């Protein structure tokens, strides 16, 4: 019996995860299998590079020891946010490291973990989930980084679409779904509308404060309790790097414990010069520590709902994904407000990679969620692509006659508000003309693998030269599900 393996990747700011679907000849549809670190959790996206030797450390070990490693290594923890930064690079051990180089190391670590879990069927290709609004440059860089690690990106899907698809059976019948994705590095809230088998992304809001920030704040409060109990006066920032790492790791464990318990005990056998300690932390103390962060998270949720144009009463389900979405003080507030409209998957931290893996096996198709076209010389509108048209592999070739013998052909783009209201240099382009009566404008429009809308234009009189290109990387898309019912 032969088996196909379909992989999905959630490339996260702080943690990344891999899920795969093993599909046998009978095409049975199993539950996705998840690939994590040695603790069975998503794999930290941390990369540490030794300044002298260039040796690379990745994964949970690099994350847990990032403070200690910082003495000898450059530690990069949020490469996802650097993928479009032209001015970001580091010279380390005789090599210039770019964001693409660092991202490739994250992919290599994911591929290694996948190979260890599924040696016979390595992860040579995958569907990768990215945030809504993940710009074209980031997608290009991420694709190149994956290719350097030996992974071909089959397709990009949005993270909220992947999260919804992973849980679509439980969300059956919901027309408006809020995806509340709070991980280690960011909070991303998206409002989806599901209609006629299509997922429309109505709005999104986010903030760069998440689980890592909670861990650090909790570590500082625990440190304050320890120094008070021992009658000492030493700041957390003045502790040895290894001690700070150990305290942050213990704080993260305490945060998880307090999602289910009324209190927990945090202890270390050696905490720098403060020696051994054992401190009890109550749920009430934890609630006070995270109160302001929870308030900001709820403000983010409110903004996404307001920007969707739909009243809060129309939100059928609030899909809670990401490790930080389980903290008790947040859930208390949301439960009072939404009650049974809150939905928690059994495997919260794996929803996005799981949905990406499922979409790798049963891919739907991206549809254009806006109009893009040309404003002609007489003021009329000529459509290139319209809302509802398939965007996957879309291409169109056209020839236009010219109304004068100008030596400069001005092409104006239109069709949607953001294009038409942009600055003139962003919604038009000038193509060299040659002042011949029989001259025509040759135009090729297409949407590439990174979902960039690109138009190539040149005069028919010089087909081998003077091509001009217009690119639009904010194309709005919806997603049509191939088979929710399987």
């Amino acid at each position: 019996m032969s088996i196909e393996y379909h992989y999905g990747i959630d490339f996260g700011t702080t943690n990344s995860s891999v899920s795969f679907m093993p599909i046998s000849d009978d095409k049975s549809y199993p539950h996705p299998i998840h690939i994590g670190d040695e603790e069975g959790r998503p794999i930290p996206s941390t990369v540490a590079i030794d300044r002298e030797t260039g040796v690379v450390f990745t994964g949970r070990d690099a994350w847990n020891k990032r403070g200690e490693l910082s003495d000898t290594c450059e530690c990069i923890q949020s490469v996802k946010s650097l993928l479009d930064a032209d001015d970001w690079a580091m010279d380390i051990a005789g090599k210039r490291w770019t964001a693409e180089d660092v991202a490739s190391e994250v992919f290599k670590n994911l591929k290694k973990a996948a190979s260890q879990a599924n040696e016979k069927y390595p992860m040579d290709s995958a569907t990768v989930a990215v945030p809504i609004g993940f710009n074209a440059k980031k997608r290009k860089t991420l694709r190149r980084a994956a290719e350097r690690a030996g992974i071909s990106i089959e397709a990009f899907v949005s993270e909220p679409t992947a999260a919804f698809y992973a849980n679509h059976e439980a969300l059956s019948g919901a027309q408006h779904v809020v995806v509340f994705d709070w991980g280690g590095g960011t909070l991303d809230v998206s409002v989806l509308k599901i209609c006629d088998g299509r997922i429309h992304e109505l709005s999104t809001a986010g903030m760069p404060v998440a689980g890592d920030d909670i861990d650090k704040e909790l570590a500082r409060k625990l440190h304050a309790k320890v120094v008070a109990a021992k009658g000492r006066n030493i700041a957390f920032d003045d502790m040895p790097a290894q001690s700070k790492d150990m305290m942050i790791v213990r704080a993260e464990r305490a945060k998880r414990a307090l999602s289910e318990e009324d209190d927990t005990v945090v202890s270390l056998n050696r905490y720098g010069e403060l020696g051994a300690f054992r401190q009890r932390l109550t749920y009430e103390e934890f609630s006070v520590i995270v109160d302001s962060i929870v308030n900001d998270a709820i403000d983010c949720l409110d903004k996404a709902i307001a920007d969707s144009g739909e009243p809060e009463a129309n939100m059928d389900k609030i899909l809670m994904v990401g490790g930080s979405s389980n903290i008790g003080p947040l859930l208390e507030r949301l439960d009072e407000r939404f009650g049974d409209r809150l939905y928690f998957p059994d495997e919260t931290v794996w929803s996005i990679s799981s949905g990406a893996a499922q979409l790798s096996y049963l891919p739907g198709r991206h549809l254009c969620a806006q109009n893009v076209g040309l404003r002609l010389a007489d003021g009329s509108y000529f459509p290139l692509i319209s809302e509802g048209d398939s965007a996957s592999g879309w291409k169109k070739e056209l020839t236009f006659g010219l109304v004068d013998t100008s030596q400069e052909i001005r092409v104006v783009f239109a069709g949607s508000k953001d294009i038409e209201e942009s600055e003139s240099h962003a919604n038009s382009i000038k193509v060299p003309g040659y002042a011949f009566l029989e001259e025509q404008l040759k135009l090729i429009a297409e949407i590439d693998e990174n979902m960039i809308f690109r138009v190539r234009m040149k005069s028919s009189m010089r087909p081998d030269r003077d091509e001009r290109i217009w690119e639009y990387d904010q194309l709005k898309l919806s997603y049509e599900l191939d088979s929710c019912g399987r």
Side-chain angles (χ1 to χ4, degrees):
M1 179 176 67
S2 64
I3 300 179
E4 300 175 14
Y5 283 84
H6 297 266
Y7 287 90
I9 295 176
D10 174 12
F11 190 96
T13 304
T14 300
N15 296 298
S16 296
S17 59
V18 179
S19 298
F20 68 90
M21 303 281 296
I23 309 299
S24 60
D25 288 337
D26 62 5
K27 297 299 179 183
S28 60
Y29 196 89
H31 190 278
I33 299 171
H34 311 305
I35 299 170
D37 61 14
E38 56 273 16
E39 299 179 19
R41 297 161 57 196
I43 301 169
S45 304
T46 302
V47 175
I49 308 162
D50 190 282
R51 298 187 187 96
E52 297 294 329
T53 65
V55 172
V56 176
F57 303 88
T58 54
R60 181 65 56 189
D61 190 51
W63 170 256
N64 287 346
K65 297 179 180 178
R66 59 196 183 280
E68 179 184 354
L69 287 171
S70 66
D71 292 337
T72 58
C73 299
E74 294 293 344
C75 295
I76 303 101
Q77 299 180 37
S78 303
V79 68
K80 185 176 181 178
S81 64
L82 302 172
L83 294 174
D84 60 346
D86 289 327
D87 57 349
W88 189 91
M90 303 183 80
D91 293 313
I92 308 171
K95 175 182 174 180
R96 189 159 184 81
W97 286 80
T98 65
E100 180 182 322
D101 296 323
V102 177
S104 182
E105 294 299 327
V106 176
F107 276 118
K108 288 176 185 177
N109 195 37
L110 296 179
K111 186 178 177 71
K112 178 182 176 182
S115 297
Q116 291 172 344
N118 190 16
E119 184 175 352
K120 190 175 179 181
Y121 297 95
M123 183 172 60
D124 296 325
S125 62
T127 292
V128 176
V130 296
I132 294 175
F134 202 66
N135 66 43
K137 187 168 186 177
K138 287 185 176 181
R139 291 196 293 269
K140 288 179 180 178
T141 303
L142 202 61
R143 185 181 291 277
R144 291 194 303 267
E147 288 173 351
R148 289 173 56 181
I151 303 169
S152 172
I153 295 181
E154 300 167 350
F156 288 114
V157 295
S158 78
E159 290 173 358
T161 292
F164 171 82
Y165 197 85
N167 299 282
H168 68 259
E169 289 182 341
L171 299 172
S172 177
Q175 184 177 14
H176 294 93
V177 175
V178 180
V179 180
F180 189 95
D181 178 12
W182 205 10
T186 62
L187 167 64
D188 297 291
V189 185
S190 305
V191 179
L192 308 180
K193 180 178 180 179
I194 295 86
C195 181
D196 297 326
R198 296 179 184 177
I199 301 174
H200 302 268
E201 297 163 346
L202 300 183
S203 63
T204 186
M207 68 178 191
V209 180
D212 297 347
D213 302 279
I214 294 174
D215 299 341
K216 292 172 185 176
E217 187 64 22
L218 192 53
R220 291 179 180 278
K221 297 297 183 182
L222 285 166
H223 173 84
K225 287 169 71 77
V226 172
V227 296
K230 292 181 176 287
R232 301 289 300 275
N233 184 21
I234 179 171
F236 179 71
D237 291 336
D238 292 333
M239 294 294 290
Q242 184 177 10
S243 297
K244 288 189 288 186
D245 285 344
M246 294 171 67
M247 181 64 93
I248 292 172
V249 169
R250 296 304 191 279
E252 193 272 338
R253 292 176 183 171
K255 177 185 70 178
R256 285 189 283 141
L258 290 170
S259 296
E260 301 177 355
E261 305 293 338
D262 292 333
D263 60 20
T264 189
V265 173
V266 180
S267 63
L268 277 172
N269 292 329
R270 181 169 181 78
Y271 183 50
E273 64 184 73
L274 296 174
F277 76 84
R278 182 180 174 87
Q279 282 289 332
R280 179 172 174 263
L281 184 69
T282 67
Y283 180 82
E284 288 73 19
E285 290 175 304
F286 176 62
S287 297
V288 172
I289 293 169
V290 302
D291 183 63
S292 63
I293 297 177
V294 168
N295 286 338
D296 291 342
I298 291 175
D299 288 345
C300 207
L301 170 65
D302 291 340
K303 183 179 187 306
I305 293 175
D307 290 349
S308 75
E310 296 285 344
E312 184 176 303
N314 284 2
M315 301 299 115
D316 300 304
K317 289 291 182 182
I318 315 297
L319 173 59
M320 306 293 288
V321 298
S324 300
S325 65
N326 288 316
I327 65 171
L330 170 73
L331 300 186
E332 288 179 355
R333 300 269 299 275
L334 294 184
D335 185 61
E336 290 177 2
R337 183 166 161 186
F338 295 102
D340 60 7
R341 287 188 285 169
L342 290 179
Y343 177 72
F344 299 89
D346 292 334
E347 298 171 314
T348 300
V349 297
W350 302 102
S351 280
I352 292 175
S353 62
S354 177
Q358 293 177 63
L359 289 169
S360 175
Y361 170 55
L362 287 176
R365 59 175 182 154
H366 283 103
L367 303 177
C368 195
Q370 67 176 96
N371 300 316
V372 184
L374 304 176
R375 187 67 63 194
L376 301 183
D378 61 1
S380 63
Y381 172 74
F382 183 90
L384 294 176
I385 191 169
S386 301
E387 183 175 355
D389 289 350
S390 176
S392 302
W394 179 87
K395 186 175 183 178
K396 181 177 286 188
E397 298 187 26
L398 298 166
T399 301
F400 291 91
L402 303 180
V403 296
D404 58 33
T405 56
S406 172
Q407 292 187 335
E408 187 175 76
I409 307 163
R410 184 166 180 256
V411 183
V412 179
F413 294 89
S416 62
K417 185 177 180 180
D418 66 319
I419 295 175
E420 294 177 3
E421 293 185 355
S422 63
E423 297 180 14
S424 59
H425 71 272
N427 68 8
S428 66
I429 199 165
K430 295 176 181 178
V431 181
Y434 298 94
F436 291 105
L437 292 174
E438 65 269 31
E439 187 174 8
Q440 296 178 316
L441 175 68
K442 298 284 188 179
L443 182 150
I444 300 175
E446 61 184 335
I447 299 174
D448 72 8
E449 59 185 1
N450 295 312
M451 292 299 158
I452 300 171
F453 188 95
R454 182 179 294 107
V455 181
R456 302 178 184 277
M457 298 159 284
K458 57 187 175 181
S459 167
S460 62
M461 305 306 296
R462 296 288 190 274
D464 58 340
R465 57 181 290 188
D466 294 336
E467 181 179 76
R468 296 293 183 266
I469 297 174
W470 183 79
E471 289 188 341
Y472 178 51
D473 67 358
Q474 298 299 315
L475 186 67
K476 297 173 182 62
L477 302 167
S478 60
Y479 198 83
E480 185 173 62
L481 304 177
D482 180 63
S483 176
C484 275
R486 303 190 185 114

